[in-house]
Amino acid sequence: MSKRYWNIYLEEMMEARVHLGHKTRKWNPKMAPYIFTERRDTHIINLAKTARSLSEACDLAFDIAGRGKQFLIVGTKYQAADLVASAATEARCHYVNRKWLGGMLTNWSTTETRPQKFKDLKKEQDTGRFNRPPKKEAAMLKRQLDQLQKYLGGIRYMTSLPDIAIITNQQEESIALGECRTLGIPTICLVDTDCDPDLVDIPIPANDDGIASIQLILNRSTSAICEGRSLRSL
């Protein structure tokens, strides 16, 4: 795996409050190696270890992107949803930022038919065919399209299972993470002080509730993806 420099600065992570963990009563003992200290009943994450993990994640993302592989970014919690959509779109990744539908990956043979349904309905809408049926039927088709856009819009171009998943919250996305583990899909995941780092391939110890923290981790990861893809196209 390539080793590169990703401009990861401790001061910037401090400003983004990446170091702020959960209350000490909520911690997972498996996170002990990543905790620097505690302050006012709150665990403080060791940012030196965050930097190393994030650098390792960026190296992996760079290499995989350079081989033309598919990424899936998952973040359905309200703090992450818009950030996930923006970062994934910029890096040309697939994403899920609303509700994770159980079996989305493990029942892929069914899931893969839904984006095609979405594209068919979108084409009908764009060509004005929604205006031809009776109003009640047209309204039903519009609702169906809106639902597909909301839950599957981010994977409408995903033609096969992803090669790697980036997950912004282990607790919130436990079903998605479980499906990745079942299928052997490598995972990069933010792990706060209440998480289990053993469940992911590359755990990034970080505040998984703060918008600035999530944004920093996503921005570095997707920058690595974009750089890997740009070198592949040379």
Side-chain angles (χ1 to χ4, degrees), residues 5-219:
Y5 184 69
W6 298 109
N7 298 318
I8 299 167
Y9 303 110
L10 297 184
E11 296 85 356
E12 187 177 7
M13 288 194 289
M14 284 283 290
E15 289 176 7
R17 302 167 74 85
V18 174
H19 61 293
L20 295 182
H22 285 288
K23 293 292 184 181
T24 53
R25 67 178 181 274
K26 290 182 63 178
W27 82 309
N28 186 324
K30 290 184 179 181
M31 285 297 295
Y34 301 102
I35 294 173
F36 177 68
T37 188
E38 64 178 73
R39 187 174 303 151
R40 296 177 183 172
D41 297 324
T42 298
H43 276 129
I44 304 299
I45 294 167
N46 187 329
L47 290 181
K49 295 196 174 183
T50 301
R52 283 196 290 272
S53 296
L54 181 53
S55 180
E56 182 184 355
C58 288
D59 287 337
L60 179 62
F62 174 84
D63 284 348
I64 290 178
R67 299 200 300 271
K69 302 298 185 179
Q70 290 197 96
F71 288 78
L72 175 65
I73 304 179
V74 183
T76 62
K77 204 169 182 178
Y78 74 92
Q79 294 99 324
D82 291 341
L83 300 176
V84 164
S86 176
T89 300
E90 184 176 345
R92 292 180 288 125
C93 299
H94 310 296
Y95 68 91
V96 175
N97 72 329
R98 297 303 173 189
K99 181 180 179 181
W100 180 271
L101 304 177
M104 191 174 282
L105 298 181
T106 50
N107 193 17
W108 177 249
S109 59
T110 298
T111 303
E112 66 179 337
T113 64
R114 293 175 180 173
Q116 186 57 51
K117 177 67 173 176
F118 167 79
K119 286 185 275 189
D120 291 342
L121 285 173
K122 190 72 172 68
K123 185 177 180 180
E124 288 185 25
Q125 183 187 52
D126 293 342
T127 56
R129 292 187 63 187
F130 275 19
N131 299 325
R132 298 176 193 173
K135 287 185 178 180
K136 187 174 181 180
E137 184 180 345
M140 182 188 68
L141 291 173
K142 178 66 165 57
R143 282 196 302 272
Q144 190 175 359
L145 179 61
D146 289 344
Q147 287 292 98
L148 288 170
Q149 170 65 43
K150 181 177 181 179
Y151 297 118
L152 300 174
I155 63 166
R156 63 185 180 275
Y157 300 117
M158 194 164 81
T159 57
S160 62
L161 290 170
D163 298 289
I164 186 169
I166 299 174
I167 298 174
T168 62
N169 189 301
Q170 186 187 90
Q171 302 281 11
E172 192 76 14
E173 316 304 342
S174 60
I175 298 175
L177 177 59
E179 292 190 29
C180 289
R181 285 169 56 81
T182 296
L183 296 169
I185 297 170
T187 52
I188 295 169
C189 185
L190 276 74
V191 289
D192 212 322
T193 55
D194 61 343
C195 294
D196 183 350
D198 294 344
L199 297 179
V200 299
D201 295 285
I202 299 184
I204 302 175
N207 175 357
D208 63 8
D209 289 320
I211 291 175
S213 174
I214 298 167
Q215 185 171 38
L216 187 150
I217 303 300
L218 280 177
N219 284 350

